[in-house]
Amino acid sequence: MRLCPTFLLQRWLWLCVCARQWHCSNGNNCRLPLCVRQIGAYLRLMVDSLYYNTLTNSDVVMDSLMEPIFWMVDLLTRRFGAVFVCLLVILTTSILLVVYVVMLPLIINTYSPSWIAWHMSYGHWNLVMIVFHYYKATNTGPGYPPTMKNSIPFVSMCKKCIIPKPARTHHCAICNTCILKMDHHCPWLNNCVGHFNQRYFFCFCVSMTLGCVYCSISGRNLFLDAYSAIESTYQTPPLTFRDKMFHMSVIYMWVLTSVVAVALGGLTIWHAVLISRGETSIERHLNNKETKRMRKCGKVYKNSFNYGRLNNWKVFLGVEKKSHWLTRVLLPSGHVPIGNGLTWDIYPFRKDMMPV
């Protein structure tokens, strides 16, 4: 439960008046300056605000104590969002340079025509999927609730935006606005992940993970040879500068793609689990708390946005007929998601969701 601003303001003014009256009544015999006593009164107000009502629990106290850390993280993410985007573009471009300059000539000179065709086809499909979905994820707005008066049902009021919040809408402290079906704020996109760009974000994660796994597996033997060549102290004849750069480029490519494949792969699997359950990252935390609370009351909590695993994926990917698995999933597609992100009671009643 949030603290009432009017109550805190009245409490603060009352403490300041009391401190000033006590200063005037004691004259020059006062031990501490007035400014020091006002700071003490403010600190006392902060302590009182932690337990002034019976609804305060340990979560509220911890949130209050961690608020400066959250504020600092939000500030750094807001200021350095563009830096993260530039860093991702630079690292991805460096891997592409290694692939095209170092690995592609070896593939053409070593592999059979069928293997060359497979590598060229899959590699460029993967690259197109990465570039397309990253561009759309960064440049597509996540979706915002209307600020004007409307008849759309809402579940609460945002205390910061002072507007009604529809279901699954949450306030982003970094963007300083409410986001429809907010999942999280991604610094690598410099954008919030919400209703209208969550599919782009997830498809980018899948494509980038597949690309890193592809580079890691394809370059494994080259990495082992390059590492052995670099580690060898006595070379006959010694390595030239060009050979050293070749081996170092292979090692750099393999290490970076392997690390990203593991880290981003874990994140992608986690989001796949959430999508299968019809949840976002924020809703996962809230649903766990609600499940524990209702379990204590002898009840079972049911997520009203979970339509079954297959239907959850169809709703998320926008699959409304069989051909969409190709045109909207395996190929780049800029279609908008199902629904407007404001109401969520239409999906269980769609007649074409189950047969697809």
Side-chain angles (χ1 to χ4, degrees), residues 182-311:
M182 179 179 176
D183 188 90
H184 69 287
H185 185 96
C186 181
W188 298 102
L189 302 179
N190 194 25
N191 195 9
C192 262
V193 177
H195 176 65
F196 289 100
N197 65 348
Q198 187 182 9
R199 180 179 66 87
Y200 297 130
F201 165 77
F202 178 76
C203 291
F204 164 73
C205 291
V206 172
S207 302
M208 182 63 80
T209 301
L210 292 177
C212 291
V213 171
Y214 167 72
C215 291
S216 180
I217 295 176
S218 301
R220 178 179 177 275
N221 293 331
L222 286 176
F223 165 75
L224 295 176
D225 295 339
Y227 185 79
S228 300
I230 293 295
E231 286 295 312
S232 299
T233 306
Y234 304 101
Q235 290 284 345
T236 306
L239 292 176
T240 62
F241 176 78
R242 182 178 179 178
D243 292 336
K244 289 182 180 179
M245 291 301 299
F246 173 86
H247 295 316
M248 293 299 297
S249 298
V250 172
I251 294 174
Y252 164 77
M253 183 273 298
W254 190 88
V255 171
L256 181 59
T257 55
S258 299
V259 171
V260 173
V262 174
L264 188 59
L267 178 65
T268 304
I269 293 174
W270 168 246
H271 278 280
V273 173
L274 294 179
I275 294 170
S276 300
R277 296 174 177 175
E279 298 175 325
T280 63
S281 300
I282 297 177
E283 291 170 352
R284 177 61 176 170
H285 172 70
L286 298 177
N287 290 345
N288 283 341
K289 293 180 62 176
E290 191 67 14
T291 300
K292 294 178 182 179
R293 186 187 68 83
M294 296 191 68
R295 186 183 296 120
K296 293 180 180 179
C297 301
K299 300 180 180 179
V300 178
Y301 174 74
K302 179 176 177 58
N303 179 17
S304 58
F305 307 114
N306 185 1
Y307 313 122
R309 292 183 181 179
L310 182 58
N311 283 340

Side-chain angles (χ1 to χ4, degrees), residues 142-184:
Y144 311 98
T147 57
M148 305 300 293
K149 185 177 180 180
N150 58 79
S151 59
I152 298 175
F154 61 94
V155 296
S156 64
M157 289 288 296
C158 179
K159 296 182 176 64
K160 296 185 179 180
C161 296
I162 317 299
I163 61 173
K165 290 189 348 181
R168 314 187 81 175
T169 299
H170 301 279
H171 185 87
C172 176
I174 300 174
C175 297
N176 197 28
T177 186
C178 288
I179 306 297
L180 298 178
K181 193 190 173 186
M182 179 179 176
D183 188 90
H184 69 287

Side-chain angles (χ1 to χ4, degrees), residues 44-224:
R44 179 181 176 185
L45 173 66
M46 292 178 61
V47 175
D48 292 344
S49 66
L50 296 177
Y51 57 86
Y52 86 97
N53 61 52
T54 57
L55 299 180
T56 301
N57 53 26
S58 59
D59 292 336
V60 176
V61 176
M62 288 302 300
D63 289 343
S64 301
L65 295 177
M66 297 294 290
E67 188 65 26
I69 299 178
F70 295 152
W71 177 84
M72 183 61 67
V73 172
D74 293 344
L75 179 63
L76 293 176
T77 304
R78 187 183 303 115
R79 294 290 178 85
F80 294 97
V83 177
F84 284 108
V85 173
C86 293
L87 180 61
L88 188 145
V89 173
I90 292 173
L91 292 177
T92 305
T93 304
S94 66
I95 296 300
L96 290 176
L97 288 175
V98 174
V99 171
Y100 277 100
V101 175
V102 176
M103 296 189 64
L104 186 58
L106 289 177
I107 292 176
I108 295 176
N109 296 328
T110 305
Y111 292 173
S112 62
S114 58
W115 274 106
I116 294 175
W118 185 89
H119 281 287
M120 296 291 288
S121 302
Y122 175 81
H124 286 90
W125 169 83
N126 204 160
L127 178 60
V128 170
M129 294 289 285
I130 291 174
V131 174
F132 173 81
H133 288 109
Y134 185 72
Y135 175 81
K136 296 292 288 186
T138 54
N139 290 275
T140 302
Y144 311 98
T147 57
M148 305 300 293
K149 185 177 180 180
N150 58 79
S151 59
I152 298 175
F154 61 94
V155 296
S156 64
M157 289 288 296
C158 179
K159 296 182 176 64
K160 296 185 179 180
C161 296
I162 317 299
I163 61 173
K165 290 189 348 181
R168 314 187 81 175
T169 299
H170 301 279
H171 185 87
C172 176
I174 300 174
C175 297
N176 197 28
T177 186
C178 288
I179 306 297
L180 298 178
K181 193 190 173 186
M182 179 179 176
D183 188 90
H184 69 287
H185 185 96
C186 181
W188 298 102
L189 302 179
N190 194 25
N191 195 9
C192 262
V193 177
H195 176 65
F196 289 100
N197 65 348
Q198 187 182 9
R199 180 179 66 87
Y200 297 130
F201 165 77
F202 178 76
C203 291
F204 164 73
C205 291
V206 172
S207 302
M208 182 63 80
T209 301
L210 292 177
C212 291
V213 171
Y214 167 72
C215 291
S216 180
I217 295 176
S218 301
R220 178 179 177 275
N221 293 331
L222 286 176
F223 165 75
L224 295 176

